Structures are given as structure tokens and as C-alpha cells.
């Protein structure tokens, strides 16, 4: 990779534009056609550290995400920042978030994968008060009784009850019966 700051800035802008346009081939070219694509780290200096799938959740059309998955993108990529794939997706305000959530689960995303605060995706969806995501996760087998292994060791159900998220807690209790 060039060390010329002007070239790096130009490539970073082009890479972001390619992600936003869903232009997979340009993304791959700008990354230097790295070995293991799309399961490769991206250069931090281009402003897109992490896995290509991770960046695509935030900025790309669904077709780009489907294309990355078709190429074998790992839905359980290493997330050193505490935001594995399901967490990153749940964090977005994408109109197609729930369709993509189901698609990631269909592609083997670990429904109990731990992230920030040792939460599961169900903990995270409940903390966001995202009833629809909670219902999707529960329908796919998320365990509302799985406790964190740190802090107070609470389950997603206990967290929802403690925080007064009554509708979410009710959905979890209904799924557990």
C-alpha cells in the first residue's frame, strides 16, 4: 500500500464510495485483492478496519451484503471491538435490518455469540428496546435465560425486567413457556 497521504486519502474516499454503491469488485480492487477476501482484515489507514462484512452492514445496500455472504464471508468473524456481526447489524437503523438479521442467522450466525458486556444478541436487542429483533432472535432459539459471565450475571430476561422493558420481558417469558 502506498504511504503517500494523498493517495491513501483518495483510496479511502473511493473505498467508502464503493461500499455505499455496493460495488464489490471495486472494493476488492481498492483493498488490493487480499488473500482470503472477504474474510480479511481491512487496512486501518483506509478508514474501514475490521471485516468487509462489518463495514458493509453500516454503509452498503443489502445486495452487497448478500454478495459477501455468497463469497463465503464469515458471519462469526472475530470482533475485537465487542460488536460481532449480529450486534453491528442490530446497531444500525437500516430499513432492511430484520430481513438481514434472519439472513445472517440462516448463514450460521451464532445466536449466542458474546459481545460487549458479555451480552448475547438477545441482551443487546433488549437493551435497545427492539421488540422485533427480540422476537426474531427468540423464534430462532435465543435463550432468554442465558446469563452473562461478568458483572451481575444477569440473563436478557432479568435485564429486561430490571429495566422495566415490560413488552420485551413478556415476549421472552412467552417464548420460554
Amino acid at each position: 500500500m502506498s504511504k503517500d497521504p494523498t493517495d491513501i486519502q483518495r483510496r479511502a474516499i473511493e473505498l467508502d464510495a464503493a461500499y455505499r454503491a455496493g460495488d464489490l469488485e471495486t472494493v476488492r480492487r481498492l483493498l488490493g485483492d487480499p488473500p482470503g477476501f472477504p474474510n480479511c482484515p481491512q487496512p486501518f489507514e483506509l478508514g474501514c478496519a475490521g471485516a468487509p462484512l462489518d463495514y458493509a452492514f453500516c454503509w452498503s445496500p443489502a445486495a452487497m451484503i448478500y454478495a459477501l455472504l455468497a463469497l463465503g464471508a464469515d458471519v462469526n468473524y472475530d470482533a475485537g471491538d465487542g460488536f460481532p456481526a449480529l450486534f453491528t447489524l442490530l446497531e444500525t437503523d437500516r430499513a432492511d435490518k430484520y430481513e438481514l438479521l434472519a439472513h445472517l442467522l440462516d448463514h450460521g450466525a451464532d445466536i449466542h455469540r458474546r459481545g460487549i458486556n458479555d451480552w448475547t444478541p438477545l441482551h443487546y436487542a433488549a437493551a435497545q428496546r427492539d421488540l422485533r429483533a427480540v422476537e426474531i432472535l427468540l423464534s430462532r432459539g435465543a435463550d432468554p435465560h442465558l446469563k452473562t459471565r461478568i458483572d451481575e450475571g444477569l440473563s436478557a430476561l432479568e435485564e429486561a425486567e430490571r429495566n422495566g422493558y415490560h413488552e420485551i420481558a413478556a415476549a421472552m417469558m412467552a417464548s420460554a413457556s
Side-chain angles (χ1 to χ4, degrees):
M1 175 171 291
S2 169
K3 296 298 178 193
D4 174 16
T6 305
D7 181 53
I8 292 170
Q9 182 181 27
R10 177 195 55 76
R11 288 183 58 214
I13 291 168
E14 288 178 16
L15 183 59
D16 180 68
Y19 268 109
R20 289 174 189 264
D23 184 348
L24 183 62
E25 291 312 310
T26 299
V27 166
R28 191 177 199 152
R29 179 181 53 78
L30 289 167
L31 291 175
D33 197 16
F37 182 85
N39 297 310
C40 58
Q42 298 183 102
F44 183 77
E45 61 268 20
L46 292 180
C48 61
L53 188 59
D54 187 41
Y55 196 82
F57 288 142
C58 299
W59 306 111
S60 298
M64 173 79 153
I65 294 167
Y66 293 137
L68 288 166
L69 292 170
L71 286 174
D74 182 3
V75 294
N76 296 306
Y77 57 78
D78 182 30
D81 64 356
F83 285 85
L86 295 179
F87 285 59
T88 299
L89 180 60
L90 290 170
E91 182 70 19
T92 70
D93 60 358
R94 301 178 65 104
D96 57 1
K97 167 171 50 178
Y98 305 110
E99 176 186 315
L100 288 169
L101 176 59
H103 198 70
L104 288 177
L105 292 167
D106 290 343
H107 272 80
D110 184 351
I111 202 159
H112 295 124
R113 176 93 183 264
R114 303 297 180 132
I116 192 164
N117 300 326
D118 199 47
W119 283 349
T120 65
L122 186 60
H123 282 90
Y124 195 67
Q128 290 184 309
R129 300 180 191 183
D130 188 338
L131 180 59
R132 188 164 174 200
V134 165
E135 290 171 341
I136 291 168
L137 291 166
L138 290 169
S139 74
R140 297 300 192 95
D143 182 352
H145 301 290
L146 196 60
K147 296 179 181 287
T148 62
R149 300 164 295 190
I150 61 172
D151 300 327
E152 297 174 7
L154 298 176
S155 69
L157 174 57
E158 291 166 330
E159 291 267 5
E161 289 173 331
R162 183 177 84 170
N163 290 311
Y165 306 155
H166 304 295
E167 194 173 17
I168 289 173
M172 289 185 203
M173 287 187 281
S175 79
S177 50

